[in-house]
Amino acid sequence: MALRIQQPGLMTTVQDEGRSDGYRVGMPPAGAMDKFAYRIANGLVGNPDGLAVLEATYLGPQVEFTEDTVFAVTGADMPATLNGEPLDAWASHTARAGDVLAFGFLKSGARAYVAVAGGIDVKPVLGSRSTYTLCGMGGFEGRPLVAGDLLSVGSGVDGTPGRRMDRDLVPAVSGAVELRVVVGLASYRVEPDSLAAFFETDWSVTPDANRVGYRYRGGSVEWVPRTQPRGAGSDPANVVDIGYPVGSIQIPGGSEPIALLNDAVTGGGYATIGTIISADLSVVGQSKTGDVTRFVPVSLEGALAARRDAAVRLERARASFSS
Amino acid sequence: MSDDLSVQAPFPGVFYRKPDPESPEFVQVGDDVQADTVVGLIEVMKMFQEITAGVAGKIVSFEVENEGAVSAGQVLLVVR
Amino acid sequence: MSASTAPAGTLYSHGGDEWIVVQLDEAMSLDVNLKAQVITRALADLDLPGVREICLSNASYMVRLDPDVVNPAALVEQLKEIEAQSTDFRSITLSTRIVDIPVLFEDEWTAATVKRFRDRHQRPDLTDLEFGAELNGFSTTDDFIDAMVSAPALISMIGFVPTVPWGYQLVPEDRQIEVPKYVRPRTFTPERAFGWGGAFSAIYPVDGAGGYQLFGLCPAPIVQPAQTLPDFRDSYTFPRPGDLFNYRKIERPEFDEVRARVEEGTFAYRIEELEFTPADWFARPDETVASMKELLYGA
């Protein structure tokens, strides 16, 4: 069983839960940017957790199934068709050999997921099938898919066609995004008024927004003047090189904040003022160029509560599967 | 006009009417285009994607300036 | 919201719910990195539930945690206890290894890169090596190279992209080499390039963007995903936090010979296990470095 890529879309990669070990040597986790949509896609086709899927950003691929199988589409609203016939997202379907899955224009969100019964079968690298394109590791030959690629699919999963998630549980996606942030790290480097203004600014996602990080525009921050400490470099936005959490927000030059994401650079010399909470990383993954983003400060307790809520939402979504 | 067909941006980004700053525009108002004629580029995530007309006809107007920001589904140009 | 005042001492900070970043000092020094090395090793030995990864950095360290297993605030309290228990970082003994890292300085490949990106440099009229020599008060580039290979570098952090080793040279502070990064980063750097930025040496594991001053090229890899070379059997990455990298100036014939052995799959780094007591180095830096080199190369 295989998938033949007829058209790759803009940026389609193989992704799974991502790597859990390697940050300490500079290896970011990679993995699906919207974990909710990814996990539901696997669940709908009857896959066990952790199998690899396709993640398509902004423009969906055109994919031919070489044998009968079961598949599901979740994530961004990018109307899917099978042999030209409209297809429900957030549901699993049977495909026959020779059927072609295609996508229309993006309506909302940024990333669609395609799961196939058995999962995309590429060789795991460091415990994951996720593609890390910056270093050409993992996934399918370490790169985004191109026309003509033939992807193997794992065996051993019969597939569960006709499963549907309750439509009411599809995450609402709009062009206005709120991301909760635990303030800290080098936030003391920013003038208090300026830090407060940061959280009152409508930031817009620039075209420079990918799996490594999203760059925003819309304001700037003032640094607290100081004599730069030894080894930090002369720019006030610089600190002695430090680790960057996934989700951390840095502001090179004082304007254009960057939120680091799944393919993050793991450390460097820019001051970091806070970190997007884990529950909202999927929200970033569905935000797109031009979207307005507000960063909202939240306490650690608030972040942990949001994490519990996200887990409940996932369980409720799984429990809602009906056939 | 019912004969007007719009060419839309398939995804958000920055619309370019030229392949590079020194070159002329891909197409002009009044040009005849085929479905596979390249009418511009959209840049996003440091990648450039060629945008084809998707329809045949004569270009009536451009709705987006060169290097203008576009959202998914936004009309780039009108063909009749 | 945090107050906008610089921390008096260690700054414990939550990076969302899955990370804790501990800034031990705002400034870089050998002392602060030793402290980070000791704390991260002690933390690793404790094998605490919910601690997923421990990442050493120059004057700080970072913990990736599973908040479903351990409460981040409770873990911070444990980290503070570990910090309180370890005070004299110079007297500890670091079980580490010293490694011979051959470097071909002024090689043709980095020279071509340096030339290509002159418009992004502070001094387009000089090579990176000439610039570094002038800035650090050396009259010739040979003297500058001699200084860079005079003492090993303690690997104080690994990251940015996979396996980049950041080295802090074991020389007294008045002899520390410092250079700025490029004014605008290069879009290309050759694989295995040897460079310097701020007070840190680094090796670029693969082709890619970069902003460090480029001085030479290493013949041997520091990352090998295929894991065919003997040094990469257990891990695809070579550098480890706390390693001592002794850069050694080589000439073209040795460079070609090492490249050939890498291609054959027979190359292995020259490595010696070492018990490093920083207090010895602080008391007698030059003698301690001399004995390290003797251990590595013989008398």
Side-chain angles (χ1 to χ4, degrees):
Chain A
M1 170 62 205
L3 301 180
R4 181 177 287 117
I5 305 301
Q6 294 183 337
Q7 289 173 22
L10 186 65
M11 162 92 181
T12 302
T13 55
V14 176
Q15 300 293 345
D16 61 10
E17 285 284 347
R19 298 181 175 82
S20 58
D21 187 26
Y23 218 81
R24 68 201 150 74
V25 291
M27 177 66 72
M33 292 272 277
D34 178 353
K35 288 288 184 344
F36 178 84
Y38 157 75
R39 288 167 184 160
I40 294 299
N42 262 337
L44 286 169
V45 299
N47 281 345
D49 290 346
L51 292 195
V53 306
L54 299 183
E55 176 184 276
T57 305
Y58 292 153
L59 188 64
Q62 188 171 307
V63 181
E64 181 194 340
F65 298 96
T66 64
E67 279 177 40
D68 297 0
T69 188
V70 174
F71 72 98
V73 176
T74 64
D77 187 2
M78 214 186 266
T81 58
L82 192 66
N83 304 324
E85 294 297 318
L87 197 71
D88 281 345
W90 304 95
S92 61
H93 307 275
T94 300
R96 301 293 172 200
D99 282 356
V100 175
L101 172 68
F103 292 86
F105 282 2
L106 180 70
K107 286 185 172 169
S108 70
R111 291 176 170 83
Y113 292 85
V114 181
V116 183
I120 308 296
D121 188 22
V122 293
K123 188 170 170 272
V125 175
L126 307 170
S128 163
R129 293 184 170 86
S130 287
T131 316
Y132 171 46
T133 55
L134 208 62
C135 279
M137 295 183 79
F140 187 82
E141 298 181 359
R143 59 166 171 80
L145 301 178
V146 298
D149 283 345
L150 199 62
L151 276 67
S152 299
V153 171
S155 54
V157 177
D158 291 337
T160 51
R163 263 191 192 175
R164 322 181 71 79
M165 189 185 83
D166 183 348
R167 299 292 307 181
D168 293 342
L169 300 176
V170 173
V173 175
S174 75
V177 179
E178 284 200 353
L179 302 173
R180 287 165 288 184
V181 171
V182 176
V183 182
L185 309 167
S187 58
Y188 67 86
R189 290 289 305 116
V190 180
E191 293 280 8
D193 291 352
S194 185
L195 189 62
F198 177 88
F199 291 102
E200 299 297 326
T201 299
D202 283 333
W203 298 95
S204 80
V205 180
T206 68
D208 191 4
N210 57 28
R211 294 181 45 86
V212 176
Y214 272 38
R215 187 184 286 262
Y216 298 86
R217 201 172 290 150
S220 59
V221 301
E222 295 296 321
W223 304 102
V224 176
R226 68 167 175 181
T227 306
Q228 286 289 95
R230 176 185 175 74
S234 51
D235 192 290
N238 283 154
V239 297
V240 169
D241 302 75
I242 196 165
Y244 293 151
V246 171
S248 63
I249 299 166
Q250 54 181 250
I251 316 177
S255 60
E256 304 206 351
I258 296 171
L260 291 173
L261 300 168
N262 298 30
D263 293 3
V265 291
T266 64
Y270 287 114
T272 297
I273 64 159
T275 306
I276 298 166
I277 65 175
S278 65
D280 285 354
L281 290 175
S282 289
V283 180
V284 189
Q286 291 300 358
S287 70
K288 62 184 185 300
T289 295
D291 281 359
V292 173
T293 299
R294 278 287 185 115
F295 298 102
V296 180
V298 68
S299 64
L300 175 64
E301 292 69 32
L304 292 170
R307 184 185 179 86
R308 285 190 294 274
D309 290 347
V312 167
R313 265 201 314 282
L314 179 65
E315 280 322 301
R316 196 180 295 150
R318 281 174 167 155
S320 82
F321 289 171
S322 60
S323 32
Chain B
M1 294 283 287
S2 58
D3 291 347
D4 285 355
L5 298 164
S6 60
V7 180
Q8 291 168 284
F11 48 84
V14 177
F15 181 61
Y16 291 90
R17 287 190 55 192
K18 305 171 177 184
D20 57 76
E22 279 76 46
S23 299
E25 280 102 2
F26 287 103
V27 286
Q28 309 277 359
V29 170
D31 285 0
D32 286 315
V33 294
Q34 300 300 315
D36 60 356
T37 303
V38 175
V39 297
L41 302 172
I42 292 183
E43 180 205 7
V44 73
M45 299 190 293
K46 294 179 180 163
M47 295 186 292
F48 291 85
Q49 178 94 353
E50 288 186 343
I51 305 301
T52 51
V55 293
K58 192 183 285 289
I59 297 177
V60 179
S61 64
F62 276 87
E63 302 297 315
V64 178
E65 302 271 301
N66 185 42
E67 298 190 28
V70 296
S71 55
Q74 188 173 339
V75 176
L76 301 171
L77 56 142
V78 177
V79 173
R80 187 175 301 162
Chain C
M1 208 172 286
S2 309
S4 288
T5 49
T10 302
L11 175 66
Y12 287 85
S13 190
H14 293 285
D17 46 326
E18 294 188 342
W19 305 81
I20 295 168
V21 179
V22 184
Q23 178 180 287
L24 297 167
D25 200 328
E26 286 197 295
M28 181 60 190
S29 65
L30 187 56
D31 278 313
V32 72
N33 187 252
L34 289 170
K35 184 173 177 178
Q37 302 252 8
V38 167
I39 292 173
T40 50
R41 284 171 186 226
L43 180 59
D45 288 345
L46 285 176
D47 199 17
L48 296 175
V51 172
R52 295 177 64 185
E53 286 208 72
I54 303 162
C55 311
L56 171 78
S57 23
N58 292 320
S60 54
Y61 70 97
M62 182 165 74
V63 177
R64 184 184 185 192
L65 63 102
D66 182 352
D68 299 336
V69 177
V70 62
N71 179 286
L75 184 56
V76 163
E77 293 312 310
Q78 284 180 293
L79 298 179
K80 286 179 176 170
E81 277 175 37
I82 295 169
E83 187 190 1
Q85 279 161 14
S86 17
T87 46
D88 186 358
F89 304 102
R90 293 185 177 188
S91 300
I92 52 104
T93 297
L94 219 52
S95 295
T96 182
R97 53 183 193 168
I98 184 164
V99 187
D100 171 56
I101 307 284
V103 183
L104 179 64
F105 287 91
E106 302 188 272
D107 65 289
E108 58 183 281
W109 298 277
T110 53
T113 306
V114 163
K115 200 171 167 193
R116 181 176 152 198
F117 294 103
R118 243 31 236 146
D119 60 328
R120 297 170 187 236
H121 198 273
Q122 291 83 351
R123 287 287 298 274
D125 56 319
L126 301 178
T127 66
D128 289 10
L129 205 57
E130 288 165 349
F131 174 68
E134 186 183 295
L135 208 63
N136 287 277
F138 294 94
S139 49
T140 68
T141 53
D142 280 346
D143 290 347
F144 182 48
I145 292 167
D146 286 347
M148 287 190 277
V149 302
S150 67
L154 177 72
I155 302 307
S156 54
M157 175 169 173
I158 296 174
F160 182 60
V161 297
T163 75
V164 176
W166 313 56
Y168 192 71
Q169 199 180 21
L170 288 183
V171 293
E173 297 208 348
D174 62 348
R175 272 191 261 159
Q176 282 282 339
I177 293 163
E178 278 210 56
V179 290
K181 296 176 190 178
Y182 271 44
V183 177
R184 286 182 297 131
R186 294 176 304 272
T187 54
F188 175 79
T189 309
E191 178 179 317
R192 291 176 278 103
F194 171 79
W196 210 286
F200 301 97
S201 59
I203 300 169
Y204 288 83
V206 294
D207 290 352
Y212 275 29
Q213 306 287 331
L214 296 182
F215 299 145
L217 198 70
C218 301
I222 55 167
V223 61
Q224 203 209 17
Q227 293 188 258
T228 55
L229 290 171
D231 291 319
F232 296 86
R233 296 262 155 81
D234 295 335
S235 169
Y236 69 104
T237 66
F238 181 74
R240 296 180 200 159
D243 274 351
L244 295 166
F245 274 18
N246 192 67
Y247 303 115
R248 179 169 58 86
K249 183 187 178 190
I250 61 168
E251 301 303 329
R252 185 63 189 264
E254 183 175 353
F255 180 92
D256 292 339
E257 189 253 332
V258 172
R259 284 305 303 153
R261 280 193 286 140
V262 169
E263 297 299 325
E264 288 165 11
T266 57
F267 172 82
Y269 280 106
R270 189 173 195 163
I271 302 170
E272 289 294 335
E273 303 290 324
L274 177 72
E275 299 292 312
F276 174 43
T277 306
D280 294 344
W281 181 85
F282 280 100
R284 296 170 300 278
D286 293 331
E287 291 83 343
T288 306
V289 163
S291 70
M292 285 175 174
K293 291 197 173 203
E294 196 177 311
L295 175 73
L296 184 58
Y297 300 115

